[in-house]
Amino acid sequence: AQTVTQSQPEMSVQEAETVTLSCTYDTSESDYYLFWYKQPPSRQMILVIRQEAYKQQNATENRFSVNFQKAAKSFSLKISDSQLGDAAMYFCAYRRYQGGSEKLVFGKGTKLTVNP
Amino acid sequence: EAEVAQSPRYKITEKSQAVAFWCDPISGHATLYWYRQILGQGPELLVQFQDESVVDDSQLPKDRFSAERLKGVDSTLKIQPAELGDSAMYLCASSLGRESEQYFGPGTRLTVT
């Protein structure tokens, strides 16, 4: 079964500093997608970044980048130059296909606090 | 920018009562998802629609939960009767189709007393 594990329930960072959120996953598939979603308080979940497993190059979106280690099944998110607006719950997710269905399997999340 | 709409945003109901949530996906999105997010957990898929057809409801507690998307556009999720353990955030998401990004609505926070 595919599982996603986020071992850090909470993290904090100083404004303008860099923070890394960890995620590991378990799968027997060779081709898949991984995602990081951000869920601000009382607001909808939005996609931060995605990584296709067949691509060796790590994905980057402005201040957000990932360290994808396929063999280790690790997918960490690095936030550079942290801003107050980055404070949120961050969820790592794996996209799973089964029959005709496609669903996201989420980790339990990491609550990120940004200190001014 | 188009968004997924959900209502109500908050709902308090008593145990054994019926409750319903509504979702209006982004126009043109054929795939619609309902997720349940228990406090402190990540969302878990309850049901997925492709147009008006259910493609996955394996995690939907069918003795009390039902979902429909009659015209392949908006969708309703119903719980009858509600139980204390149903207290959670219910999220709706939509996408253009397979391998497309899922866009989430703001959710409905349900409290069962």
Side-chain angles (χ1 to χ4, degrees):
Chain A
Q2 287 85 1
T3 59
V4 177
T5 302
Q6 294 180 248
S7 59
Q8 306 153 315
E10 297 188 26
M11 291 283 285
S12 63
V13 63
Q14 291 296 125
E15 196 175 4
E17 297 295 308
T18 295
V19 65
T20 298
L21 308 184
S22 301
C23 173
T24 58
Y25 59 95
D26 184 28
T27 182
S28 56
E29 299 175 341
S30 59
D31 191 18
Y32 48 87
Y33 287 80
L34 295 164
F35 305 85
W36 278 98
Y37 279 86
K38 170 185 178 182
Q39 188 177 40
S42 301
R43 295 182 62 187
Q44 56 252 60
M45 191 171 298
I46 58 173
L47 179 64
V48 174
I49 198 165
R50 60 186 274 174
Q51 174 77 43
E52 293 142 273
Y54 66 87
K55 290 187 176 179
Q56 295 195 353
Q57 186 174 6
N58 289 324
T60 299
E61 289 287 342
N62 300 314
R63 298 182 294 106
F64 299 86
S65 62
V66 299
N67 183 3
F68 173 50
Q69 302 290 327
K70 190 173 183 178
K73 296 180 180 176
S74 171
F75 182 60
S76 60
L77 174 70
K78 186 172 80 171
I79 306 174
S80 304
D81 185 26
S82 297
Q83 300 176 1
L84 295 177
D86 295 333
M89 285 292 294
Y90 285 82
F91 292 94
C92 177
Y94 169 101
R95 184 156 65 192
R96 172 186 176 184
Y97 297 100
Q98 186 174 26
S101 79
E102 166 190 332
K103 69 179 181 183
L104 294 172
V105 178
F106 289 87
K108 292 187 176 183
T110 296
K111 181 180 181 181
L112 178 66
T113 301
V114 181
N115 301 308
Chain B
E1 184 175 319
E3 294 185 339
V4 176
Q6 289 188 250
S7 67
R9 293 292 306 276
Y10 304 92
K11 179 70 177 179
I12 300 174
T13 191
E14 293 183 348
K15 185 175 62 173
S16 79
Q17 295 298 304
V19 64
F21 315 129
W22 177 79
C23 172
D24 190 12
I26 293 173
S27 178
H29 281 196
T31 310
L32 186 147
Y33 311 81
W34 283 101
Y35 290 86
R36 178 170 60 184
Q37 184 178 18
I38 296 171
L39 187 64
Q41 306 281 331
E44 292 183 296
L45 182 71
L46 290 175
V47 61
Q48 177 189 347
F49 289 92
Q50 181 64 34
D51 299 309
E52 67 275 9
S53 300
V54 173
V55 296
D56 186 352
D57 62 357
S58 57
Q59 299 304 309
L60 189 70
K62 298 181 188 64
D63 57 335
R64 298 184 300 106
F65 285 64
S66 63
E68 60 183 15
R69 194 185 183 198
L70 292 177
K71 296 183 179 179
V73 181
D74 58 338
S75 177
T76 302
L77 178 70
K78 298 178 181 177
I79 308 175
Q80 182 174 17
E83 296 181 353
L84 295 177
D86 296 331
S87 294
M89 176 77 84
Y90 290 83
L91 298 170
C92 180
S94 70
S95 73
L96 283 170
R98 191 176 176 89
E99 298 195 4
S100 299
E101 179 181 344
Q102 293 187 27
Y103 293 84
F104 285 81
T108 295
R109 181 165 295 284
L110 173 67
T111 301
V112 182
T113 62

